[in-house]
Amino acid sequence: PAVVVLENDAVRLACEPEGPGDEDDIEQARTPTALASVGGAQGIREAVERLYARLVADASVSHYFEGVDMPRLKRHQVLLLSQLLGGPARYAGPDLAEAHAHLGVTADDYRCVIDHLVAVLTELDVDPATVAAVSRTLGGFEPDVVRR
């Protein structure tokens, strides 16, 4: 599974393929073409803005964002998505398990967030293969985020 590992105040994605084809998914999500297909840094910022607009409007998951420093959260998400898509490793926040441990995220809610991200990336005309690879890779983070 994919995990986030803190190294020297930065985060490294350590992706271990679980089955046939997983290596290709991980590589597809990390190619410079993947980052370019989102529109580079500006495209990632737009995707994150749209993602959180959708999440705070979705009654099934909006409670996770009550009282949250949204600008800070968005910055973290931009850095993580950028890294996932092949950009530089500049995220210096807590690892995913630590950041989500107190939230009690359910599997359904985690899937909902991924589905919203997939919808946003699709709206932004990101290459379908990149969208699918991002979705599968983020699915690998579920054990780190889901607590019930």
Side-chain angles (χ1 to χ4, degrees), residues 46-55 77 113 116-117 120:
E46 176 65 22
V48 168
E49 285 296 327
R50 290 187 188 196
L51 172 64
Y52 284 106
R54 292 175 70 111
L55 293 174
Q77 190 66 261
V113 171
H116 278 299
L117 179 59
V120 164

Side-chain angles (χ1 to χ4, degrees), residues 8 29-30 53 61 69-70 109 126 134 147:
N8 302 325
R30 290 180 155 192
V61 293
D69 180 351
M70 292 303 288
D109 291 345
V126 174
V134 167
R147 292 290 175 235

Side-chain angles (χ1 to χ4, degrees), residues 55 57-64 106 108-109 112 116:
L55 293 174
D58 184 332
S60 68
V61 293
S62 62
H63 62 279
Y64 291 113
T106 67
D108 287 343
D109 291 345
C112 178
H116 278 299

Side-chain angles (χ1 to χ4, degrees), residues 100-116:
H100 295 89
H102 68 286
L103 297 173
V105 176
T106 67
D108 287 343
D109 291 345
Y110 186 68
R111 186 74 242 164
C112 178
V113 171
I114 292 174
D115 290 346
H116 278 299

Side-chain angles (χ1 to χ4, degrees), residues 89-142:
R90 294 187 178 146
Y91 175 79
D95 69 26
L96 290 178
E98 180 184 337
H100 295 89
H102 68 286
L103 297 173
V105 176
T106 67
D108 287 343
D109 291 345
Y110 186 68
R111 186 74 242 164
C112 178
V113 171
I114 292 174
D115 290 346
H116 278 299
L117 179 59
V118 165
V120 164
L121 295 175
T122 302
E123 288 170 5
L124 293 172
D125 294 322
V126 174
D127 173 65
T130 299
V131 174
V134 167
S135 177
R136 285 188 295 271
T137 301
L138 290 176
F141 289 110
E142 185 173 336

